[in-house]
Amino acid sequence: MSEAIKRGVDNALKRYVDYLSNNVELVTAVESWMKTLSYLVAGRISKSHSTVIAELMYSSSSLFTLFNDYMLRKRHGLHTLQGAGARRLKIALSCLEAVEVFIEIAARRYADPNIKWILIFCVELLKTIGRFVLQLKYKSGLRYFPLINRLNRKAIHMDGVEERTDDSQSSNNQSYYTLPHSGRQIKSVNTGSWQGVASAPVSVGKTVLDKGQMVGEALHNLQPLIHLGTEACFGAESWKPWIASIITDFASLGILKQSHYRYSKNENSEMVRRKFILWMYLLRSPCYDRVTKQRLLRLLSVFQSIPGLRFIAGSIVAYLPEWQKTYFYTWNS
Protein backbone atom coordinates (compact mmCIF):
# COMPACT_ATOMS: atom_id res chain seq x y z
CA MET A 1 0.00 0.00 0.00
CA SER A 2 2.78 2.40 0.94
CA GLU A 3 4.60 1.60 -2.32
CA ALA A 4 1.46 2.38 -4.32
CA ILE A 5 1.05 5.71 -2.52
CA LYS A 6 4.71 6.55 -3.11
CA ARG A 7 4.41 5.75 -6.83
CA GLY A 8 1.25 7.84 -7.03
CA VAL A 9 2.94 10.81 -5.36
CA ASP A 10 6.02 10.45 -7.58
CA ASN A 11 3.88 10.33 -10.72
CA ALA A 12 1.84 13.35 -9.64
CA LEU A 13 5.01 15.27 -8.84
CA LYS A 14 6.55 14.34 -12.19
CA ARG A 15 3.44 15.55 -14.02
CA TYR A 16 3.53 18.81 -12.07
CA VAL A 17 7.21 19.37 -12.84
CA ASP A 18 6.52 18.73 -16.54
CA TYR A 19 3.69 21.27 -16.41
CA LEU A 20 5.89 23.73 -14.49
CA SER A 21 8.72 23.46 -17.02
CA ASN A 22 6.33 24.09 -19.92
CA ASN A 23 4.42 26.93 -18.23
CA VAL A 24 7.08 28.87 -16.34
CA GLU A 25 5.58 32.29 -17.05
CA LEU A 26 2.09 31.23 -15.98
CA VAL A 27 3.30 29.73 -12.69
CA THR A 28 5.40 32.83 -12.00
CA ALA A 29 2.32 34.98 -12.55
CA VAL A 30 0.34 32.80 -10.11
CA GLU A 31 3.06 33.32 -7.48
CA SER A 32 2.88 37.09 -7.98
CA TRP A 33 -0.91 37.08 -7.74
CA MET A 34 -0.76 35.11 -4.50
CA LYS A 35 1.44 37.81 -2.98
CA THR A 36 -0.76 40.60 -4.34
CA LEU A 37 -3.89 38.90 -3.01
CA SER A 38 -2.35 38.72 0.46
CA TYR A 39 -2.13 42.54 0.49
CA LEU A 40 -5.72 42.90 -0.73
CA VAL A 41 -7.05 40.47 1.88
CA ALA A 42 -5.56 42.42 4.82
CA GLY A 43 -8.39 44.24 6.58
CA ARG A 44 -11.08 43.04 4.20
CA ILE A 45 -12.22 39.66 5.57
CA SER A 46 -12.58 39.74 9.33
CA LYS A 47 -10.73 42.39 11.27
CA SER A 48 -9.74 39.95 13.97
CA HIS A 49 -8.30 37.39 11.52
CA SER A 50 -7.38 39.33 8.37
CA THR A 51 -3.74 39.96 9.31
CA VAL A 52 -3.17 36.28 10.10
CA ILE A 53 -4.88 35.15 6.88
CA ALA A 54 -2.97 37.71 4.80
CA GLU A 55 0.37 36.64 6.27
CA LEU A 56 -0.53 32.97 5.78
CA MET A 57 -1.18 33.67 2.10
CA TYR A 58 2.09 35.60 1.77
CA SER A 59 4.10 32.86 3.50
CA SER A 60 2.42 30.22 1.32
CA SER A 61 3.37 32.14 -1.82
CA SER A 62 7.00 32.34 -0.64
CA LEU A 63 7.09 28.60 0.05
CA PHE A 64 5.43 27.93 -3.31
CA THR A 65 8.15 29.98 -5.04
CA LEU A 66 10.93 28.16 -3.17
CA PHE A 67 9.41 24.80 -4.11
CA ASN A 68 9.06 25.73 -7.79
CA ASP A 69 12.62 27.06 -7.99
CA TYR A 70 13.91 23.87 -6.36
CA MET A 71 12.01 21.63 -8.77
CA LEU A 72 13.18 23.64 -11.79
CA ARG A 73 16.80 23.47 -10.63
CA LYS A 74 16.44 19.74 -10.15
CA ARG A 75 14.74 19.28 -13.52
CA HIS A 76 17.43 21.18 -15.41
CA GLY A 77 20.31 19.57 -13.52
CA LEU A 78 21.60 22.78 -12.00
CA HIS A 79 24.29 22.03 -9.47
CA THR A 80 26.03 24.09 -6.81
CA LEU A 81 29.61 24.32 -5.65
CA GLN A 82 28.50 23.22 -2.21
CA GLY A 83 27.27 19.74 -1.37
CA ALA A 84 23.79 18.43 -0.86
CA GLY A 85 24.00 18.91 2.92
CA ALA A 86 24.57 22.67 2.65
CA ARG A 87 21.86 22.93 0.02
CA ARG A 88 19.31 21.12 2.20
CA LEU A 89 20.19 23.30 5.18
CA LYS A 90 19.79 26.48 3.13
CA ILE A 91 16.40 25.27 1.92
CA ALA A 92 15.31 24.52 5.50
CA LEU A 93 16.45 27.94 6.72
CA SER A 94 14.76 29.65 3.77
CA CYS A 95 11.49 27.87 4.59
CA LEU A 96 11.79 28.95 8.22
CA GLU A 97 12.40 32.56 7.17
CA ALA A 98 9.37 32.37 4.87
CA VAL A 99 7.00 31.45 7.72
CA GLU A 100 8.55 33.28 10.69
CA VAL A 101 6.33 36.36 10.41
CA PHE A 102 3.22 34.18 10.14
CA ILE A 103 4.30 32.23 13.25
CA GLU A 104 4.72 35.46 15.21
CA ILE A 105 1.48 37.07 14.08
CA ALA A 106 -0.54 33.89 14.68
CA ALA A 107 1.00 33.51 18.16
CA ARG A 108 0.27 37.15 18.97
CA ARG A 109 -3.35 36.74 17.88
CA TYR A 110 -4.19 33.35 19.38
CA ALA A 111 -1.68 32.70 22.19
CA ASP A 112 -0.26 34.22 25.33
CA PRO A 113 2.42 36.95 24.83
CA ASN A 114 4.96 34.73 26.57
CA ILE A 115 4.28 31.99 24.01
CA LYS A 116 4.91 34.49 21.24
CA TRP A 117 8.32 35.42 22.63
CA ILE A 118 9.23 31.77 23.23
CA LEU A 119 8.43 30.99 19.59
CA ILE A 120 10.42 34.01 18.39
CA PHE A 121 13.42 32.89 20.45
CA CYS A 122 13.13 29.31 19.15
CA VAL A 123 12.99 30.52 15.54
CA GLU A 124 16.02 32.78 16.02
CA LEU A 125 17.90 29.99 17.84
CA LEU A 126 17.26 27.53 15.00
CA LYS A 127 18.34 30.10 12.42
CA THR A 128 21.51 30.91 14.37
CA ILE A 129 22.45 27.24 14.74
CA GLY A 130 21.85 26.66 11.03
CA ARG A 131 23.95 29.69 10.10
CA PHE A 132 26.84 28.52 12.27
CA VAL A 133 26.67 25.06 10.69
CA LEU A 134 26.88 26.69 7.25
CA GLN A 135 29.78 28.86 8.39
CA LEU A 136 31.83 26.30 10.30
CA LYS A 137 31.05 22.99 8.62
CA TYR A 138 30.31 23.97 5.03
CA LYS A 139 32.59 27.07 4.84
CA SER A 140 29.81 29.06 3.20
CA GLY A 141 31.54 32.43 3.57
CA LEU A 142 29.46 35.56 4.09
CA ARG A 143 25.77 34.89 4.62
CA TYR A 144 23.68 36.49 1.91
CA PHE A 145 20.13 37.68 2.08
CA PRO A 146 18.23 35.82 0.80
CA LEU A 147 20.12 32.58 1.42
CA ILE A 148 18.87 31.15 -1.89
CA ASN A 149 18.71 33.51 -4.85
CA ARG A 150 15.63 33.54 -7.02
CA LEU A 151 16.09 31.38 -10.08
CA ASN A 152 16.46 33.19 -13.40
CA ARG A 153 13.56 31.29 -14.92
CA LYS A 154 13.50 33.20 -18.19
CA ALA A 155 17.11 32.29 -18.95
CA ILE A 156 16.49 28.62 -18.17
CA HIS A 157 13.20 28.55 -20.04
CA MET A 158 14.74 30.14 -23.14
CA ASP A 159 18.20 28.62 -23.12
CA GLY A 160 17.96 25.53 -20.95
CA VAL A 161 21.30 26.40 -19.34
CA GLU A 162 22.35 27.03 -15.81
CA GLU A 163 22.29 30.54 -14.46
CA ARG A 164 25.56 31.93 -13.05
CA THR A 165 25.32 32.84 -9.37
CA ASP A 166 27.66 32.80 -6.44
CA ASP A 167 26.52 29.28 -5.65
CA SER A 168 26.55 27.87 -9.17
CA GLN A 169 28.75 27.55 -12.21
CA SER A 170 28.01 26.40 -15.72
CA SER A 171 29.37 23.00 -16.62
CA ASN A 172 30.99 24.11 -19.86
CA ASN A 173 34.34 22.38 -19.26
CA GLN A 174 35.86 25.48 -17.72
CA SER A 175 38.15 24.82 -14.76
CA TYR A 176 38.84 27.14 -11.87
CA TYR A 177 41.69 27.57 -9.43
CA THR A 178 41.12 28.51 -5.77
CA LEU A 179 43.65 31.00 -4.41
CA PRO A 180 45.13 29.60 -1.19
CA HIS A 181 44.82 32.71 1.01
CA SER A 182 41.69 34.56 -0.08
CA GLY A 183 39.71 31.55 -1.29
CA ARG A 184 38.79 33.40 -4.48
CA GLN A 185 38.31 31.34 -7.62
CA ILE A 186 39.72 32.37 -11.00
CA LYS A 187 39.86 30.69 -14.38
CA SER A 188 42.88 28.47 -14.71
CA VAL A 189 45.22 29.12 -17.64
CA ASN A 190 44.43 25.80 -19.30
CA THR A 191 40.92 26.88 -20.27
CA GLY A 192 42.16 28.20 -23.58
CA SER A 193 40.61 31.59 -22.89
CA TRP A 194 43.54 33.94 -22.30
CA GLN A 195 41.32 36.92 -23.02
CA GLY A 196 38.86 35.90 -20.30
CA VAL A 197 41.64 35.55 -17.74
CA ALA A 198 43.27 38.85 -18.65
CA SER A 199 40.12 40.93 -18.91
CA ALA A 200 38.10 39.62 -16.00
CA PRO A 201 40.11 38.06 -13.18
CA VAL A 202 37.19 38.27 -10.80
CA SER A 203 35.93 35.98 -8.13
CA VAL A 204 33.07 33.64 -8.98
CA GLY A 205 32.95 31.80 -5.67
CA LYS A 206 32.73 32.69 -2.02
CA THR A 207 35.69 33.99 -0.07
CA VAL A 208 37.07 31.49 2.42
CA LEU A 209 36.92 33.50 5.65
CA ASP A 210 40.03 33.90 7.77
CA LYS A 211 39.87 33.83 11.58
CA GLY A 212 39.13 37.54 11.88
CA GLN A 213 36.39 37.38 9.30
CA MET A 214 34.94 34.32 11.03
CA VAL A 215 34.65 36.35 14.23
CA GLY A 216 32.95 39.20 12.35
CA GLU A 217 30.48 36.84 10.69
CA ALA A 218 29.85 35.05 14.00
CA LEU A 219 28.89 38.38 15.61
CA HIS A 220 26.47 39.02 12.74
CA ASN A 221 24.91 35.60 13.30
CA LEU A 222 24.67 36.13 17.07
CA GLN A 223 23.09 39.60 16.92
CA PRO A 224 19.45 38.38 17.14
CA LEU A 225 20.16 36.24 20.22
CA ILE A 226 22.17 39.05 21.86
CA HIS A 227 19.25 41.42 21.36
CA LEU A 228 16.63 38.95 22.60
CA GLY A 229 18.78 37.99 25.60
CA THR A 230 19.37 41.57 26.73
CA GLU A 231 15.71 42.42 26.13
CA ALA A 232 14.68 39.51 28.36
CA CYS A 233 17.01 40.84 31.09
CA PHE A 234 16.29 44.57 30.89
CA GLY A 235 12.89 44.85 29.17
CA ALA A 236 11.73 46.12 25.78
CA GLU A 237 11.61 49.76 26.97
CA SER A 238 15.28 49.81 27.98
CA TRP A 239 17.96 51.24 25.73
CA LYS A 240 20.38 48.44 26.68
CA PRO A 241 19.10 45.81 24.17
CA TRP A 242 19.11 48.43 21.40
CA ILE A 243 22.65 49.55 22.29
CA ALA A 244 23.97 45.98 22.63
CA SER A 245 22.51 45.08 19.23
CA ILE A 246 23.84 48.10 17.34
CA ILE A 247 27.31 47.66 18.90
CA THR A 248 27.30 44.03 17.75
CA ASP A 249 26.38 45.04 14.18
CA PHE A 250 29.00 47.82 14.06
CA ALA A 251 31.66 45.48 15.48
CA SER A 252 30.79 42.80 12.91
CA LEU A 253 31.04 45.24 10.00
CA GLY A 254 34.24 46.79 11.36
CA ILE A 255 35.97 43.41 11.66
CA LEU A 256 34.83 42.28 8.20
CA LYS A 257 35.96 45.57 6.63
CA GLN A 258 39.44 45.29 8.16
CA SER A 259 40.22 42.26 6.01
CA HIS A 260 42.80 42.96 3.32
CA TYR A 261 41.20 40.33 1.06
CA ARG A 262 39.10 41.47 -1.81
CA TYR A 263 35.51 40.31 -1.61
CA SER A 264 33.57 39.15 -4.65
CA LYS A 265 30.99 41.39 -6.28
CA ASN A 266 28.04 39.74 -4.53
CA GLU A 267 29.86 39.75 -1.20
CA ASN A 268 30.44 43.49 -1.55
CA SER A 269 26.73 43.91 -2.30
CA GLU A 270 25.93 42.03 0.91
CA MET A 271 28.28 44.32 2.88
CA VAL A 272 26.48 47.35 1.43
CA ARG A 273 23.12 45.83 2.42
CA ARG A 274 24.31 45.31 5.99
CA LYS A 275 25.47 48.93 6.19
CA PHE A 276 22.09 50.10 4.91
CA ILE A 277 20.30 47.93 7.49
CA LEU A 278 21.97 50.02 10.22
CA TRP A 279 19.53 52.81 9.34
CA MET A 280 16.77 50.46 10.51
CA TYR A 281 17.83 51.19 14.08
CA LEU A 282 16.00 54.51 13.76
CA LEU A 283 12.79 52.47 13.36
CA ARG A 284 13.53 50.08 16.21
CA SER A 285 12.23 50.70 19.70
CA PRO A 286 12.99 52.43 21.97
CA CYS A 287 14.69 54.78 19.48
CA TYR A 288 11.55 54.85 17.31
CA ASP A 289 9.18 55.60 20.20
CA ARG A 290 11.35 58.26 21.84
CA VAL A 291 13.20 59.89 18.94
CA THR A 292 12.02 58.98 15.44
CA LYS A 293 8.25 58.50 15.64
CA GLN A 294 7.01 62.09 15.92
CA ARG A 295 9.50 63.40 13.36
CA LEU A 296 8.56 60.67 10.89
CA LEU A 297 4.83 61.25 11.35
CA ARG A 298 5.27 64.99 10.81
CA LEU A 299 7.19 64.30 7.59
CA LEU A 300 4.51 61.87 6.39
CA SER A 301 1.77 64.41 7.18
CA VAL A 302 3.53 66.84 4.82
CA PHE A 303 3.56 64.17 2.10
CA GLN A 304 -0.15 63.51 2.72
CA SER A 305 -0.89 67.07 1.67
CA ILE A 306 0.71 66.44 -1.75
CA PRO A 307 -1.89 64.93 -4.15
CA GLY A 308 0.47 62.49 -5.86
CA LEU A 309 1.86 61.15 -2.59
CA ARG A 310 -1.28 61.23 -0.42
CA PHE A 311 -2.23 57.57 -0.86
CA ILE A 312 1.30 56.22 -0.34
CA ALA A 313 1.97 58.37 2.74
CA GLY A 314 -1.43 57.51 4.19
CA SER A 315 -0.82 53.80 3.70
CA ILE A 316 2.54 54.05 5.49
CA VAL A 317 0.97 55.92 8.42
CA ALA A 318 -1.78 53.29 8.69
CA TYR A 319 0.64 50.37 8.48
CA LEU A 320 3.37 51.65 10.82
CA PRO A 321 1.69 50.53 14.09
CA GLU A 322 1.25 46.94 12.80
CA TRP A 323 4.78 46.92 11.43
CA GLN A 324 6.16 48.13 14.77
CA LYS A 325 4.35 45.38 16.67
CA THR A 326 5.99 42.63 14.59
CA TYR A 327 9.46 41.64 15.74
CA PHE A 328 10.49 39.92 12.50
CA TYR A 329 9.64 43.05 10.50
CA THR A 330 11.66 45.46 12.60
CA TRP A 331 14.56 43.31 13.82
CA ASN A 332 15.25 40.95 10.95
CA SER A 333 18.78 41.25 9.59
Side-chain angles (χ1 to χ4, degrees):
M1 185 67 177
S2 59
E3 285 295 324
I5 294 174
K6 185 177 182 300
R7 282 197 300 271
V9 171
D10 290 342
N11 289 334
L13 192 59
K14 184 178 182 302
R15 286 196 295 270
Y16 174 74
V17 174
D18 290 339
Y19 177 84
L20 174 62
S21 298
N22 295 324
N23 298 274
V24 171
E25 293 182 359
L26 176 61
V27 174
T28 303
V30 170
E31 294 168 355
S32 299
W33 273 106
M34 288 175 67
K35 281 187 167 62
T36 303
L37 192 59
S38 70
Y39 294 117
L40 298 176
V41 163
R44 286 175 171 80
I45 297 179
S46 165
K47 270 200 167 180
S48 58
H49 304 291
S50 63
T51 305
V52 177
I53 295 172
E55 194 55 47
L56 174 61
M57 295 176 65
Y58 189 89
S59 298
S60 299
S61 69
S62 299
L63 291 173
F64 186 47
T65 300
L66 280 171
F67 174 75
N68 288 333
D69 279 354
Y70 173 78
M71 297 311 297
L72 283 171
R73 283 188 172 101
K74 188 175 180 181
R75 172 65 178 266
H76 289 276
L78 306 186
H79 62 281
T80 64
L81 291 173
Q82 294 178 330
R87 185 165 61 250
R88 284 194 294 267
L89 182 53
K90 284 187 175 184
I91 291 171
L93 289 173
S94 297
C95 290
L96 186 58
E97 290 173 351
V99 300
E100 62 187 8
V101 175
F102 168 71
I103 291 172
E104 179 184 352
I105 290 177
R108 189 177 71 208
R109 174 65 184 82
Y110 302 115
D112 184 86
N114 291 331
I115 300 297
K116 182 195 82 167
W117 285 110
I118 290 172
L119 288 174
I120 289 173
F121 178 79
C122 289
V123 169
E124 290 291 11
L125 181 62
L126 287 173
K127 286 163 58 178
T128 301
I129 292 172
R131 290 163 180 173
F132 271 110
V133 172
L134 284 173
Q135 179 183 341
L136 299 175
K137 181 177 180 180
Y138 296 110
K139 311 298 182 185
S140 60
L142 289 183
R143 170 171 60 87
Y144 296 161
F145 181 84
L147 271 175
I148 301 176
N149 289 331
R150 284 293 305 272
L151 189 65
N152 187 350
R153 297 179 181 180
K154 286 186 178 179
I156 290 180
H157 182 60
M158 293 171 61
D159 303 326
V161 298
E162 180 178 355
E163 59 176 2
R164 293 295 296 271
T165 68
D166 262 9
D167 290 334
S168 60
Q169 289 175 280
S170 58
S171 54
N172 55 359
N173 296 324
Q174 289 182 337
S175 58
Y176 290 85
Y177 173 70
T178 301
L179 299 178
H181 296 294
S182 67
R184 296 199 306 271
Q185 292 179 315
I186 61 173
K187 290 181 181 179
S188 62
V189 295
N190 61 356
T191 59
S193 179
W194 283 94
Q195 183 179 359
V197 175
S199 62
V202 295
S203 155
V204 297
K206 293 177 183 290
T207 299
V208 177
L209 303 182
D210 61 24
K211 290 183 179 180
Q213 291 169 312
M214 292 281 279
V215 172
E217 189 66 5
L219 285 174
H220 182 66
N221 292 335
L222 286 171
Q223 176 270 325
L225 295 184
I226 290 172
H227 171 255
L228 286 172
T230 50
E231 187 170 295
C233 293
F234 301 106
E237 300 301 319
S238 172
W239 279 95
K240 292 177 182 177
W242 188 92
I243 292 171
S245 182
I246 197 171
I247 287 176
T248 303
D249 276 339
F250 269 110
S252 171
L253 278 172
I255 293 171
L256 289 171
K257 283 173 62 180
Q258 284 178 0
S259 171
H260 63 277
Y261 297 132
R262 177 184 159 198
Y263 291 111
S264 68
K265 181 179 178 181
N266 282 3
E267 287 169 335
N268 281 322
S269 298
E270 172 60 20
M271 294 288 285
V272 171
R273 186 194 72 84
R274 294 185 188 184
K275 292 175 187 175
F276 179 78
I277 288 294
L278 292 175
W279 289 100
M280 283 289 295
Y281 278 93
L282 295 175
L283 299 177
R284 293 169 173 174
S285 295
C287 182
Y288 174 76
D289 295 323
R290 301 181 188 179
V291 179
T292 314
K293 182 177 179 179
Q294 293 305 319
R295 292 173 174 81
L296 180 60
L297 290 177
R298 281 198 295 268
L299 178 63
L300 290 172
S301 67
V302 172
F303 289 148
Q304 283 182 291
S305 64
I306 302 174
L309 300 175
R310 183 176 299 144
F311 176 76
I312 297 174
S315 299
I316 294 174
V317 170
Y319 189 67
L320 266 175
E322 179 65 30
W323 190 79
Q324 277 291 318
K325 287 190 296 184
T326 308
Y327 172 87
F328 285 118
Y329 283 155
T330 53
W331 284 96
N332 231 345
S333 60

